[in-house]
Amino acid sequence: MSLVTAERRYAAEELEARVRSRAAGLHAAGVRAGDRVAVLAHNGAEVVEVVLACWRSGLVVVPVNPQLTPGELAAVLADARPRAVVTDRDAVDGHRVLPVDVASRGAVPPEVTGGLLLYTSGSTGQPRGVVSGLLTPGEPWARARRRLTALTLDPWRLPADGVVLLAGPWHHAAPLFFGLFPLLLGSRLVVLDRPRPHELLATVDAERVTHAHLVPTQLVRALAVRADVPFDGGSLRRVWHGGGPCPPEVRRAVVDWWGPVLTEYYGATEAGIVTLTAPDTPEGSVGRPVAGTEVLILADGNAVAPGEVGEVWVRRAGRTFTCGDEGRLDAAGNLHLTGRSAILTGGVTVRPAEVAAVLRDHPEVIDTVVFGFPDEEFGALVAAVVVPVHPARPGLAGDLDAHCRTRLAAYKVPRGYGFVPELPRDHAGKLRAAGLRAAIGTWPGTASRR
């Protein structure tokens, strides 16, 4: 278990000492086993050390996205009710702040397993906490380590002796899982913060990276510079990718370049990993369910035949739930997604309901629908069709953009706006899909680049 950042390298012994020092610092600050600790910071050595210190001293980690607006941040923290916020900021209103480099030479608390509380937007767009089942708070740490070694086997095959690249925001569920858990199991973790494609590719070769989690946008950007970057990639054994649909031509191009190392998955913060692809997975599918998981396709509450489209439901450990996505199962049990309940843009999730609620608060908006518009680089861009109170005036798109930025993180703000006299709704107020497609057309909306 060792750590590498852009600034320096930490051998296993030094990393161990730093993690113990962080745990002692948290303990000295009065944080005790069972408490929640929100961690609000970008990728870096200190974040990794604090998270490991929490997990080894019985503390529940609450990862928080640094891009959230003050209002969004306040909503998450009000629900999570952390004992402290560990951050690189000077202050967080209404909460006790500890520095991200918190440390002490004092007593190290007993080793006991902590937990993980992740926040995701529900169908209404409100923050909702999801407790990860991978860690059991209060369990002896040595026993937890033994139990976690099962993750090195099917279905995820996390490496215990690899070199793993963390190149996405650590506070998102997938980068955290595919990065920090291999570190716990004994792998070396290489951490980058918002790397450009040249830096990402150079790091893979320089550090002989064996495993990485990337989103389709990162694959697209890597392909865009392949003629300019000398890249071998021979060390790669597995690259997990998800966080949005990967166009078949992108996947084929990456396999031609890197070899057969890509593994696609379908999952969500609230569901974990649901399906994984295999060498025999047909193109366009996100694979078959992982062990212990059943995928059901339902229409009006009833299961449909293979090949028929319906809502995707997941059954696991006696619990049945859905993320609201639409899809079908083929005869071999592979899942094909045909529609998403959320917008996946650049590997992050945006809930249309949350954005629409903010737009409807603008005094010049009567009605709106928010959707994902296909984009080659990001997979989808957030866009909005708006019914204005009066015929759309010049400058309204810019005003809506400014309005959204006061309430929403930048990645949630629509990239474009279209204006129509009315939206195609039925007598019950539901949008008619065919009419909506006609209203959107080829999307002539005004671009709103972030």
Side-chain angles (χ1 to χ4, degrees), residues 173-189:
L176 188 154
F177 173 74
F178 286 112
L180 269 69
F181 276 90
L183 175 67
L184 278 177
L185 297 171
S187 289
R188 176 184 301 166
L189 181 64

Side-chain angles (χ1 to χ4, degrees), residues 20 25 51 99 110 113 142 178 186 192 206 238 248 260 311 328 346 357 399 448:
R20 290 172 62 84
V51 171
T113 306
F178 286 112
L192 297 178
R238 186 179 295 266
E311 191 171 34
R328 61 181 175 84
D399 288 351
S448 170

Side-chain angles (χ1 to χ4, degrees), residues 44-71:
E46 292 84 0
V47 163
V48 173
E49 293 157 6
V50 164
V51 171
L52 295 185
C54 289
W55 284 347
R56 287 173 46 170
S57 55
L59 305 177
V60 177
V61 175
V62 184
V64 183
N65 187 344
Q67 295 186 63
L68 297 182
T69 65

Side-chain angles (χ1 to χ4, degrees), residues 17-197:
R18 290 170 68 92
V19 170
R20 290 172 62 84
S21 178
R22 305 286 184 218
L26 290 165
H27 189 78
V31 185
R32 296 292 183 265
D35 289 342
R36 293 176 179 176
V37 176
V39 183
L40 174 66
H42 292 286
N43 289 13
E46 292 84 0
V47 163
V48 173
E49 293 157 6
V50 164
V51 171
L52 295 185
C54 289
W55 284 347
R56 287 173 46 170
S57 55
L59 305 177
V60 177
V61 175
V62 184
V64 183
N65 187 344
Q67 295 186 63
L68 297 182
T69 65
E72 292 171 318
L73 174 60
V76 169
L77 295 181
D79 188 78
R81 292 176 294 173
R83 175 75 66 174
V85 179
V86 176
T87 182
D88 49 14
R89 301 182 183 183
D90 294 332
V92 176
D93 289 347
H95 293 273
R96 183 186 180 197
V97 164
L98 298 176
V100 72
D101 58 356
V102 59
S104 172
R105 295 184 179 178
V108 178
E111 287 200 337
V112 60
T113 306
L116 179 62
L117 176 62
L118 294 159
Y119 271 81
T120 179
S121 295
S123 59
T124 63
Q126 299 303 309
R128 183 165 59 88
V130 178
V131 177
S132 171
L134 293 172
L135 296 170
T136 304
E139 181 181 23
W141 178 246
R143 184 191 304 167
R145 280 290 305 273
R146 290 193 296 271
R147 184 172 51 79
L148 289 172
T149 57
L151 298 178
T152 65
L153 307 174
D154 288 336
W156 298 298
R157 297 192 182 94
L158 298 184
D161 58 354
V163 180
V164 180
L165 178 64
L166 174 62
W170 78 273
H171 46 79
H172 288 325
L176 188 154
F177 173 74
F178 286 112
L180 269 69
F181 276 90
L183 175 67
L184 278 177
L185 297 171
S187 289
R188 176 184 301 166
L189 181 64
V190 181
V191 178
L192 297 178
D193 186 24
R194 294 167 288 185
R196 296 182 180 276

Side-chain angles (χ1 to χ4, degrees), residues 234-283:
S235 61
L236 287 172
R237 302 206 301 263
R238 186 179 295 266
V239 175
W240 300 282
H241 71 94
C246 186
E249 62 274 15
V250 170
R251 183 181 175 87
R252 287 194 297 266
V254 173
V255 170
D256 288 344
W257 186 18
W258 296 355
V261 298
L262 293 185
T263 296
E264 186 171 4
Y265 66 89
Y266 165 66
T269 302
E270 57 267 56
I273 305 299
V274 175
T275 67
L276 280 173
T277 58
D280 63 344
T281 300
E283 191 172 89

Side-chain angles (χ1 to χ4, degrees), residues 84-444:
V85 179
V86 176
T87 182
D88 49 14
R89 301 182 183 183
D90 294 332
V92 176
D93 289 347
H95 293 273
R96 183 186 180 197
V97 164
L98 298 176
V100 72
D101 58 356
V102 59
S104 172
R105 295 184 179 178
V108 178
E111 287 200 337
V112 60
T113 306
L116 179 62
L117 176 62
L118 294 159
Y119 271 81
T120 179
S121 295
S123 59
T124 63
Q126 299 303 309
R128 183 165 59 88
V130 178
V131 177
S132 171
L134 293 172
L135 296 170
T136 304
E139 181 181 23
W141 178 246
R143 184 191 304 167
R145 280 290 305 273
R146 290 193 296 271
R147 184 172 51 79
L148 289 172
T149 57
L151 298 178
T152 65
L153 307 174
D154 288 336
W156 298 298
R157 297 192 182 94
L158 298 184
D161 58 354
V163 180
V164 180
L165 178 64
L166 174 62
W170 78 273
H171 46 79
H172 288 325
L176 188 154
F177 173 74
F178 286 112
L180 269 69
F181 276 90
L183 175 67
L184 278 177
L185 297 171
S187 289
R188 176 184 301 166
L189 181 64
V190 181
V191 178
L192 297 178
D193 186 24
R194 294 167 288 185
R196 296 182 180 276
H198 297 76
E199 180 187 4
L200 188 152
L201 294 170
T203 300
V204 169
D205 276 351
E207 298 296 336
R208 305 300 295 165
V209 168
T210 61
H211 294 72
H213 174 274
L214 301 174
V215 297
T217 298
Q218 290 174 306
L219 299 178
V220 171
R221 289 176 173 173
L223 288 169
V225 301
R226 60 180 162 174
D228 306 321
V229 180
F231 178 70
D232 175 65
S235 61
L236 287 172
R237 302 206 301 263
R238 186 179 295 266
V239 175
W240 300 282
H241 71 94
C246 186
E249 62 274 15
V250 170
R251 183 181 175 87
R252 287 194 297 266
V254 173
V255 170
D256 288 344
W257 186 18
W258 296 355
V261 298
L262 293 185
T263 296
E264 186 171 4
Y265 66 89
Y266 165 66
T269 302
E270 57 267 56
I273 305 299
V274 175
T275 67
L276 280 173
T277 58
D280 63 344
T281 300
E283 191 172 89
S285 167
V286 292
R288 288 188 287 270
V290 299
T293 299
E294 182 183 5
V295 171
L296 309 170
I297 306 298
L298 305 181
D300 298 323
N302 299 310
V304 302
E308 294 186 20
V309 172
E311 191 171 34
V312 180
W313 284 74
V314 179
R315 180 178 292 159
R316 179 186 293 152
R319 177 171 169 249
T320 306
F321 52 92
T322 182
C323 299
D325 295 321
E326 182 185 78
R328 61 181 175 84
L329 290 172
D330 62 25
N334 294 290
L335 176 61
H336 300 253
L337 296 174
T338 58
R340 293 274 192 169
S341 61
I343 303 167
L344 298 170
T345 176
V348 295
T349 301
V350 176
R351 295 290 178 178
E354 179 183 14
V355 182
V358 170
L359 283 169
R360 289 192 188 100
D361 274 348
H362 192 280
E364 294 186 67
V365 174
I366 297 176
D367 197 3
T368 185
V369 60
V370 176
F371 60 98
F373 194 78
D375 180 78
E376 290 184 0
E377 182 178 0
F378 289 90
L381 297 177
V382 181
V385 172
V386 172
V387 179
V389 173
H390 305 291
R393 59 175 174 79
L396 179 55
D399 288 351
L400 294 178
D401 187 89
H403 169 76
C404 287
R405 289 178 186 278
T406 65
R407 304 265 296 275
L408 298 169
Y411 64 88
K412 302 177 186 177
V413 176
R415 295 290 194 94
Y417 300 87
F419 300 96
V420 295
E422 63 179 2
L423 289 174
R425 295 187 182 273
D426 61 21
H427 66 280
K430 294 184 179 181
L431 286 165
R432 299 195 311 273
L436 181 58
R437 284 193 293 269
I440 294 171
T442 58
W443 186 238

